[in-house]
Amino acid sequence: MKATLQVVNRMQADGVIAKYAIGGAVGATFYLEPSATLDIDIFVAFGSASGSLLLSMQPIYDYLTARKYPVEGEYIIIEGWQVQFLPPGDALGEEALAQAVETQVDSVPTWVMTAEHLVALALQLGRAKDFSRVLQFIEAGVLNTVKLDQILSRHELLAKWEQFGDRFLRKR
Amino acid sequence: MSEYMRKVLEGKRDTRRRLAALPFSQKLILLEKLRDRSLLIAASSLRRQQHRRQPA
Protein backbone atom coordinates (compact mmCIF):
# COMPACT_ATOMS: atom_id res chain seq x y z
CA MET A 1 0.00 0.00 0.00
CA LYS A 2 2.87 2.36 0.79
CA ALA A 3 4.27 1.95 -2.74
CA THR A 4 0.80 2.56 -4.21
CA LEU A 5 0.45 5.80 -2.28
CA GLN A 6 3.91 6.90 -3.37
CA VAL A 7 2.80 6.55 -7.00
CA VAL A 8 -0.39 8.54 -6.31
CA ASN A 9 1.66 11.25 -4.59
CA ARG A 10 3.96 11.38 -7.61
CA MET A 11 0.90 11.85 -9.84
CA GLN A 12 -0.05 14.77 -7.64
CA ALA A 13 3.43 16.26 -7.75
CA ASP A 14 3.41 15.89 -11.55
CA GLY A 15 0.11 17.78 -11.76
CA VAL A 16 -1.99 14.89 -13.09
CA ILE A 17 -4.31 15.15 -10.10
CA ALA A 18 -4.81 17.92 -7.58
CA LYS A 19 -5.97 17.06 -4.08
CA TYR A 20 -6.96 13.45 -3.38
CA ALA A 21 -8.50 11.56 -0.50
CA ILE A 22 -8.85 7.90 0.32
CA GLY A 23 -12.45 6.82 0.88
CA GLY A 24 -14.29 3.51 1.02
CA ALA A 25 -13.14 0.57 3.10
CA VAL A 26 -9.49 1.64 3.18
CA GLY A 27 -10.51 5.12 4.35
CA ALA A 28 -12.71 3.55 7.02
CA THR A 29 -9.74 1.49 8.22
CA PHE A 30 -8.14 4.74 9.38
CA TYR A 31 -10.84 4.89 12.09
CA LEU A 32 -11.98 1.27 12.50
CA GLU A 33 -10.54 -2.22 12.68
CA PRO A 34 -9.34 -3.48 9.28
CA SER A 35 -11.88 -5.37 7.19
CA ALA A 36 -11.22 -7.22 3.95
CA THR A 37 -11.31 -5.21 0.75
CA LEU A 38 -9.85 -5.77 -2.68
CA ASP A 39 -9.52 -2.19 -3.87
CA ILE A 40 -8.66 1.36 -2.90
CA ASP A 41 -11.14 4.14 -3.67
CA ILE A 42 -9.30 7.38 -4.32
CA PHE A 43 -11.38 10.51 -4.81
CA VAL A 44 -9.54 13.03 -6.90
CA ALA A 45 -9.75 16.62 -7.96
CA PHE A 46 -8.28 17.00 -11.40
CA GLY A 47 -5.49 19.49 -11.85
CA SER A 48 -4.41 21.14 -15.07
CA ALA A 49 -1.92 23.77 -16.07
CA SER A 50 -4.62 26.43 -16.24
CA GLY A 51 -6.13 25.36 -12.93
CA SER A 52 -9.48 24.53 -14.52
CA LEU A 53 -11.29 21.32 -13.81
CA LEU A 54 -10.80 18.49 -16.26
CA LEU A 55 -13.77 16.19 -16.40
CA SER A 56 -11.94 13.37 -18.13
CA MET A 57 -10.13 10.59 -16.32
CA GLN A 58 -8.02 10.10 -19.42
CA PRO A 59 -4.91 11.94 -18.12
CA ILE A 60 -4.79 9.54 -15.16
CA TYR A 61 -5.00 6.50 -17.42
CA ASP A 62 -2.46 7.96 -19.84
CA TYR A 63 -0.01 8.75 -17.04
CA LEU A 64 -0.26 5.34 -15.42
CA THR A 65 -0.38 3.16 -18.52
CA ALA A 66 2.71 4.98 -19.80
CA ARG A 67 4.39 3.72 -16.64
CA LYS A 68 3.24 0.14 -17.32
CA TYR A 69 0.47 0.02 -14.72
CA PRO A 70 -2.25 -2.19 -16.24
CA VAL A 71 -5.92 -1.29 -16.50
CA GLU A 72 -8.39 -3.99 -15.44
CA GLY A 73 -11.97 -2.87 -16.00
CA GLU A 74 -12.60 0.19 -13.87
CA TYR A 75 -9.39 -0.36 -11.91
CA ILE A 76 -5.76 0.44 -12.45
CA ILE A 77 -3.35 -1.94 -10.78
CA ILE A 78 -0.75 0.15 -8.97
CA GLU A 79 1.97 -1.73 -7.12
CA GLY A 80 -0.28 -4.72 -6.56
CA TRP A 81 -3.43 -2.86 -5.50
CA GLN A 82 -6.57 -2.34 -7.55
CA VAL A 83 -7.09 1.40 -7.48
CA GLN A 84 -10.28 3.13 -8.56
CA PHE A 85 -10.04 6.86 -9.15
CA LEU A 86 -13.33 8.62 -8.58
CA PRO A 87 -14.40 12.18 -9.24
CA PRO A 88 -16.21 13.73 -6.25
CA GLY A 89 -19.55 13.53 -8.07
CA ASP A 90 -21.53 16.04 -6.03
CA ALA A 91 -21.26 18.68 -3.30
CA LEU A 92 -20.87 16.05 -0.57
CA GLY A 93 -18.00 14.39 -2.41
CA GLU A 94 -16.33 17.74 -3.01
CA GLU A 95 -16.63 18.68 0.66
CA ALA A 96 -15.30 15.27 1.74
CA LEU A 97 -12.31 15.77 -0.52
CA ALA A 98 -11.67 19.34 0.63
CA GLN A 99 -11.85 18.46 4.32
CA ALA A 100 -9.84 15.23 4.19
CA VAL A 101 -7.30 14.80 6.98
CA GLU A 102 -3.62 14.37 6.36
CA THR A 103 -1.87 11.34 7.78
CA GLN A 104 1.21 9.26 7.06
CA VAL A 105 1.82 5.67 6.06
CA ASP A 106 5.42 4.87 7.00
CA SER A 107 6.46 8.49 6.40
CA VAL A 108 4.50 8.71 3.14
CA PRO A 109 1.97 11.55 3.41
CA THR A 110 -1.60 10.82 2.38
CA TRP A 111 -5.14 12.08 2.91
CA VAL A 112 -8.15 10.27 4.31
CA MET A 113 -11.76 11.43 4.41
CA THR A 114 -13.15 12.31 7.82
CA ALA A 115 -15.20 9.65 9.62
CA GLU A 116 -18.31 11.83 9.33
CA HIS A 117 -17.92 12.25 5.58
CA LEU A 118 -17.34 8.52 5.13
CA VAL A 119 -20.58 7.86 7.01
CA ALA A 120 -22.50 10.45 4.98
CA LEU A 121 -21.21 8.99 1.72
CA ALA A 122 -22.05 5.45 2.86
CA LEU A 123 -25.54 6.58 3.77
CA GLN A 124 -25.92 8.24 0.38
CA LEU A 125 -24.81 5.07 -1.44
CA GLY A 126 -27.12 2.92 0.67
CA ARG A 127 -25.93 -0.59 -0.18
CA ALA A 128 -25.97 -3.30 2.48
CA LYS A 129 -22.20 -3.07 2.96
CA ASP A 130 -22.48 0.70 3.34
CA PHE A 131 -25.07 0.35 6.10
CA SER A 132 -22.86 -2.21 7.78
CA ARG A 133 -19.99 0.29 7.72
CA VAL A 134 -22.15 3.03 9.20
CA LEU A 135 -23.03 0.68 12.06
CA GLN A 136 -19.35 -0.06 12.59
CA PHE A 137 -18.63 3.65 12.89
CA ILE A 138 -21.45 4.11 15.40
CA GLU A 139 -20.36 1.12 17.49
CA ALA A 140 -16.76 2.29 17.48
CA GLY A 141 -17.82 5.64 18.93
CA VAL A 142 -15.52 7.62 16.63
CA LEU A 143 -18.13 10.01 15.20
CA ASN A 144 -18.51 13.66 16.11
CA THR A 145 -22.29 13.73 16.18
CA VAL A 146 -22.57 17.52 15.88
CA LYS A 147 -20.34 17.53 12.81
CA LEU A 148 -22.19 14.55 11.32
CA ASP A 149 -25.52 16.25 11.89
CA GLN A 150 -24.31 19.37 10.09
CA ILE A 151 -23.06 17.37 7.12
CA LEU A 152 -26.26 15.33 6.86
CA SER A 153 -28.33 18.49 7.07
CA ARG A 154 -26.22 20.38 4.52
CA HIS A 155 -26.49 17.56 2.00
CA GLU A 156 -30.14 16.68 2.61
CA LEU A 157 -29.44 13.29 4.08
CA LEU A 158 -31.36 13.66 7.34
CA ALA A 159 -34.37 11.73 6.02
CA LYS A 160 -32.07 8.86 5.01
CA TRP A 161 -30.45 8.99 8.45
CA GLU A 162 -33.89 8.73 10.08
CA GLN A 163 -34.75 5.74 7.90
CA PHE A 164 -31.42 4.15 8.76
CA GLY A 165 -32.11 4.68 12.46
CA ASP A 166 -35.61 3.20 12.19
CA ARG A 167 -34.28 0.18 10.38
CA PHE A 168 -31.13 -0.59 12.34
CA LEU A 169 -30.95 1.31 15.61
CA ARG A 170 -34.37 1.70 17.19
CA LYS A 171 -35.66 -1.11 19.36
CA ARG A 172 -39.10 -2.26 18.27
CA MET B 1 -28.11 -14.20 26.86
CA SER B 2 -25.90 -16.63 28.75
CA GLU B 3 -22.90 -15.47 30.75
CA TYR B 4 -20.63 -17.43 28.40
CA MET B 5 -22.04 -15.71 25.31
CA ARG B 6 -21.80 -12.31 26.98
CA LYS B 7 -18.08 -12.91 27.63
CA VAL B 8 -17.52 -14.06 24.07
CA LEU B 9 -19.11 -10.90 22.66
CA GLU B 10 -17.18 -8.74 25.10
CA GLY B 11 -13.95 -10.39 23.96
CA LYS B 12 -14.81 -9.73 20.33
CA ARG B 13 -15.51 -6.08 21.09
CA ASP B 14 -12.18 -5.78 22.90
CA THR B 15 -10.33 -7.28 19.94
CA ARG B 16 -12.03 -4.86 17.54
CA ARG B 17 -11.17 -1.93 19.80
CA ARG B 18 -7.55 -3.08 20.03
CA LEU B 19 -7.27 -3.43 16.25
CA ALA B 20 -8.94 -0.07 15.64
CA ALA B 21 -6.42 1.58 17.96
CA LEU B 22 -3.41 0.38 15.93
CA PRO B 23 -1.50 2.94 13.84
CA PHE B 24 -2.86 3.33 10.28
CA SER B 25 0.34 1.85 8.78
CA GLN B 26 -0.07 -1.33 10.82
CA LYS B 27 -3.75 -1.58 9.95
CA LEU B 28 -2.88 -1.34 6.25
CA ILE B 29 -0.51 -4.30 6.63
CA LEU B 30 -3.38 -6.31 8.13
CA LEU B 31 -5.61 -5.13 5.29
CA GLU B 32 -3.12 -6.50 2.78
CA LYS B 33 -3.10 -9.87 4.53
CA LEU B 34 -6.90 -9.93 4.54
CA ARG B 35 -6.97 -9.08 0.85
CA ASP B 36 -4.44 -11.82 0.01
CA ARG B 37 -6.51 -14.38 1.89
CA SER B 38 -9.71 -13.25 0.18
CA LEU B 39 -8.04 -13.67 -3.20
CA LEU B 40 -6.73 -17.12 -2.24
CA ILE B 41 -10.18 -18.23 -1.13
CA ALA B 42 -11.75 -16.84 -4.30
CA ALA B 43 -9.22 -18.70 -6.44
CA SER B 44 -9.51 -22.05 -4.66
CA SER B 45 -10.85 -24.99 -6.64
CA LEU B 46 -13.23 -25.88 -3.80
CA ARG B 47 -14.94 -22.52 -4.14
CA ARG B 48 -15.12 -22.81 -7.90
CA GLN B 49 -16.77 -26.24 -7.54
CA GLN B 50 -19.26 -24.75 -5.09
CA HIS B 51 -20.15 -22.06 -7.63
CA ARG B 52 -20.68 -24.65 -10.36
CA ARG B 53 -23.07 -26.60 -8.13
CA GLN B 54 -25.26 -23.61 -7.45
CA PRO B 55 -28.12 -23.11 -9.90
CA ALA B 56 -27.97 -19.93 -11.95
Side-chain angles (χ1 to χ4, degrees):
Chain A
M1 182 83 73
K2 181 184 171 183
T4 308
L5 295 174
Q6 281 173 323
V7 172
V8 177
N9 285 349
R10 211 173 306 131
M11 286 171 68
Q12 194 182 33
D14 290 343
V16 180
I17 56 170
K19 185 161 182 163
Y20 77 87
I22 303 172
V26 178
T29 296
F30 185 65
Y31 305 95
L32 306 171
E33 75 275 15
S35 54
T37 184
L38 299 177
D39 60 359
I40 312 174
D41 292 335
I42 296 186
F43 290 76
V44 287
F46 301 101
S48 71
S50 65
S52 66
L53 206 68
L54 290 178
L55 294 177
S56 167
M57 304 289 272
Q58 200 56 47
I60 294 175
Y61 285 88
D62 290 345
Y63 180 94
L64 290 168
T65 51
R67 285 158 182 79
K68 310 288 181 217
Y69 293 114
V71 176
E72 282 182 12
E74 69 268 40
Y75 299 105
I76 304 180
I77 313 302
I78 306 177
E79 303 297 333
W81 272 94
Q82 292 184 339
V83 179
Q84 185 159 32
F85 290 96
L86 301 157
D90 60 8
L92 174 60
E94 281 169 16
E95 184 183 286
L97 183 57
Q99 295 183 15
V101 291
E102 186 173 0
T103 184
Q104 295 208 332
V105 175
D106 292 333
S107 315
V108 175
T110 192
W111 287 264
V112 178
M113 288 180 173
T114 69
E116 295 77 19
H117 282 108
L118 288 167
V119 164
L121 285 164
L123 200 64
Q124 189 185 52
L125 282 169
R127 300 163 300 180
K129 68 175 183 178
D130 299 308
F131 289 146
S132 166
R133 192 173 299 148
V134 174
L135 286 169
Q136 275 182 285
F137 271 103
I138 293 168
E139 282 177 16
V142 293
L143 295 170
N144 177 329
T145 50
V146 174
K147 191 177 166 187
L148 178 62
D149 225 40
Q150 289 168 345
I151 293 170
L152 296 177
S153 171
R154 211 163 32 241
H155 299 286
E156 297 173 354
L157 288 166
L158 284 173
K160 276 199 173 184
W161 181 248
E162 281 297 315
Q163 287 167 6
F164 175 84
D166 285 342
R167 191 166 166 196
F168 297 107
L169 300 175
R170 308 221 204 298
K171 288 185 177 155
R172 291 173 200 275
Chain B
M1 189 188 303
S2 70
E3 182 64 14
Y4 173 75
M5 202 57 204
R6 197 187 57 75
K7 279 186 179 167
V8 168
L9 292 177
E10 211 169 272
K12 283 177 189 278
R13 270 195 294 272
D14 284 347
T15 305
R16 290 176 61 187
R17 268 198 290 269
R18 187 173 49 77
L19 289 170
L22 290 172
F24 191 39
S25 304
Q26 282 185 41
K27 289 199 264 188
L28 292 183
I29 292 167
L30 292 174
L31 208 65
E32 283 178 342
K33 287 183 181 170
L34 286 168
R35 178 203 57 175
D36 293 345
R37 285 180 194 181
S38 297
L39 290 171
L40 265 178
I41 291 166
S44 84
S45 57
L46 280 175
R47 177 158 170 157
R48 284 200 301 274
Q49 282 167 18
Q50 182 74 19
H51 272 284
R52 275 199 293 275
R53 275 192 218 114
Q54 285 174 350

